[in-house]
Amino acid sequence: MGALRIITILIVSLLAAGSVVTAHNITAILSQFPEYSEFNNYLSQTKLDDEINSRETITVLVLNNGAVSSLAAKHPLSVVKGVLSLHILLDYYDNKKLHAISDGTTLSTTLYQTTGNSPGNVGFVNITDLKGGKVGFGSGVPGSKLDSSYTKSVKQIPYNISVLEIDAPIIAPGILTAPAPSADVNITGLLEKAGCKTFVKLITDTGVLKVFQTAAAKGLTVFAPSDEAFKAAGVPDLSKLSNAELVALLQYHALATYTPKGSLKTAKDPISTLATNGAGKYDLTVETAGDSVTLDSGVGTSRVASTVLDSTPLCIFTVDNVLLPTELFGKSPSPSPSLSPETSPSSSPAPAALSPEPAAAPSPFLSPPAPPTSSPTAGPAPSDGPTADSQNSNASNAVDGVKAPSLIQALVTASVSVIISSVMS
């Protein structure tokens, strides 16, 4: 009993130490600084705050209210989102690391690179440690000028999130001339090009397309199954559905809000669809594993495969499987606690039927890779460089807790195994 008690205490201690890692809330961080209220506001409007909060390692290059207001006054929200995406680096930089860059210059991947709308080096930012203690920022496109400079450090939660102030927006070639979305965007053309012709025919024949087009002006997210998804084994014969049921099925594949991938990754509660007509009806549950997002209808799951369009207020994704709501097709079978063979339903008690073989784990969502994350390299900042007046914080300053990475869990499991072996031997 004494050995068992020791093992139990050690297991609890290890799990407590490794079960929670820090998370961040960019909205809460910036709310402490009135001079960045406009930047914070546009992060929320464009849902970039969700994308920032969903990533474990990030650097936000923040602009003051004057710089953001000048940008927003001349360009639509979709363009503002593109520019701000270029100010979100998928790596951790603080004052020390900025002044310790190898060879004095580097290209850093930004959130804009992950949108699929950034050819060449448009989605990269050039960071250069200049003479005199200054650090310049500019587009990663060759020949671009370093039009922005680092002014000060604002906030760090090492090595989770860093907020740094720069004095001017980083503008990549062509980013300000990107066409703004409109209510008459060619949804069917985009879907056909993405390999969703069957879905296009269904929404056109049933009139659901008009519902999508009307909703797109205020906010719409579409999950379009690929043509292969409709041919997959287990997909019900849709010709047996009534017109009302088919309409409900198709509307189940859309949300009446602009919900980009970052927002999906932070969704904790079931989300309502266009088919939702009451509490808990025609809802979807979101499951996240790394950068992969899976939608669960209660009957089955479907991976968000690719982004067709992400331009405020319209977002279109392709999904691997047809989403089958429980309201139309019933709930998925429950896993059996025993290994009894599948049996037909009867009124007398019988062993539960075996559930179907689980689907293969979803493959990671393909997006341009970010540079490998590394801990800041120590190095003194030049005496005349920007002051590091950041409000640094440690793990206890994090806003929320999230599950430990699989690496930590693996280490905990290995440690427990060693402990048990040692005690029992």
Side-chain angles (χ1 to χ4, degrees), residues 59 92-102 104 106 127-129 133-135 137 150 152-156 158-159 162-164 374-382 385-390 392:
T59 297
Y92 182 89
Y93 288 92
D94 58 12
N95 185 73
K96 289 184 178 179
K97 188 173 179 179
L98 288 178
H99 291 288
I101 296 173
S102 299
T106 187
I127 308 174
T128 299
D129 188 9
K134 295 183 178 181
V135 178
F137 292 84
Y150 165 57
K152 66 178 179 179
S153 175
V154 178
K155 178 84 172 182
Q156 278 82 44
Y159 296 101
S162 177
V163 181
L164 307 173
S374 60
S375 300
T377 305
T387 58
D389 56 350
S390 61
N392 295 328

Side-chain angles (χ1 to χ4, degrees), residues 384-397:
D384 55 349
T387 58
D389 56 350
S390 61
Q391 298 188 9
N392 295 328
S393 61
N394 53 29
S396 63
N397 297 123

Side-chain angles (χ1 to χ4, degrees), residues 21-26 48-60 85 88-92 109-115 157 159-162 261-263 265-266 288 290-293 365-371 373 402:
V21 294
T22 59
H24 50 260
N25 186 324
I26 186 62
L48 286 173
D49 55 346
D50 288 334
E51 186 67 54
I52 293 171
N53 294 339
S54 72
R55 292 182 177 268
E56 293 183 4
T57 304
I58 208 87
T59 297
V60 180
S85 297
I88 302 169
L89 312 182
L90 305 186
D91 199 354
Y92 182 89
T109 311
T110 72
L111 198 59
Y112 190 70
Q113 180 68 19
T114 68
T115 63
I157 303 178
Y159 296 101
N160 185 216
I161 184 171
S162 177
K261 192 179 179 185
S263 297
K265 289 192 289 186
T266 59
T288 303
D291 202 37
S292 179
V293 174
F365 183 86
L366 296 178
S367 63
T373 303
V402 296

Side-chain angles (χ1 to χ4, degrees), residues 236-262:
D237 184 355
L238 302 186
S239 66
K240 295 182 179 180
L241 297 178
S242 68
N243 185 66
E245 290 173 334
L246 183 56
V247 167
L249 173 63
L250 297 173
Q251 291 185 340
Y252 186 63
H253 287 73
L255 314 178
T257 56
Y258 169 66
T259 312
K261 192 179 179 185

Side-chain angles (χ1 to χ4, degrees), residues 4 9 38 70 82 99 109 163 168 206 219 221 223 231 236 241 271 302 312-313 326 340 343 346 362 391 396:
L4 180 60
I9 293 174
E38 285 296 303
S70 177
H99 291 288
T109 311
V163 181
T206 58
T221 300
F223 303 111
K231 301 175 184 177
L241 297 178
I271 54 178
S302 183
T312 313
T326 58
S340 58
T343 59
S346 72
Q391 298 188 9
S396 63

Side-chain angles (χ1 to χ4, degrees), residues 51 77 94 108 120 127 184-185 189 197 206 244 280 309 324 362 373 386 395 404 410:
E51 186 67 54
L77 187 61
D94 58 12
S108 183
I127 308 174
D184 60 350
V185 63
K197 294 181 179 179
T206 58
L309 177 70
L324 305 175
T373 303

